[in-house]
Amino acid sequence: LVSTTFQQRRKQIGTTLAGVLEGRGRVEEWLAQEGVDPRARVEELTPVQLLALARSPAWRAYSSGAPAADAD
């Protein structure tokens, strides 16, 4: 998650993750569930927020190669 999001610094996290996950609407919903503003830039997130995102089912499914739809 960190390497993916920091590769495109200065972009909003919602935009960056929409490029690797299942579209912007789904990413915004996931980020909202995790308490992260999709308009935030990755460098604005705390380590705790990044860790929560990395541990979430949506990201774990993506990073393991499983379809994101299976993460729900």
Side-chain angles (χ1 to χ4, degrees):
L1 177 74
V2 173
S3 64
T4 298
T5 54
F6 274 96
Q7 285 177 358
Q8 297 183 21
R9 291 187 68 192
R10 304 297 309 149
K11 278 195 157 187
Q12 296 175 351
I13 192 164
T15 302
T16 300
L17 292 176
V20 296
L21 297 175
E22 295 291 317
R24 186 156 183 99
R26 186 175 180 89
V27 167
E28 287 181 358
E29 181 181 317
W30 167 53
L31 292 173
Q33 288 174 353
E34 298 295 330
V36 174
D37 182 349
R39 296 169 299 173
R41 302 195 187 285
V42 68
E43 58 268 21
E44 298 171 343
L45 301 182
T46 66
V48 171
Q49 288 173 309
L50 287 169
L51 185 59
L53 292 175
R55 289 181 173 169
S56 73
W59 184 257
R60 295 182 84 186
Y62 166 75
S63 63
S64 70
D70 294 344
D72 293 336

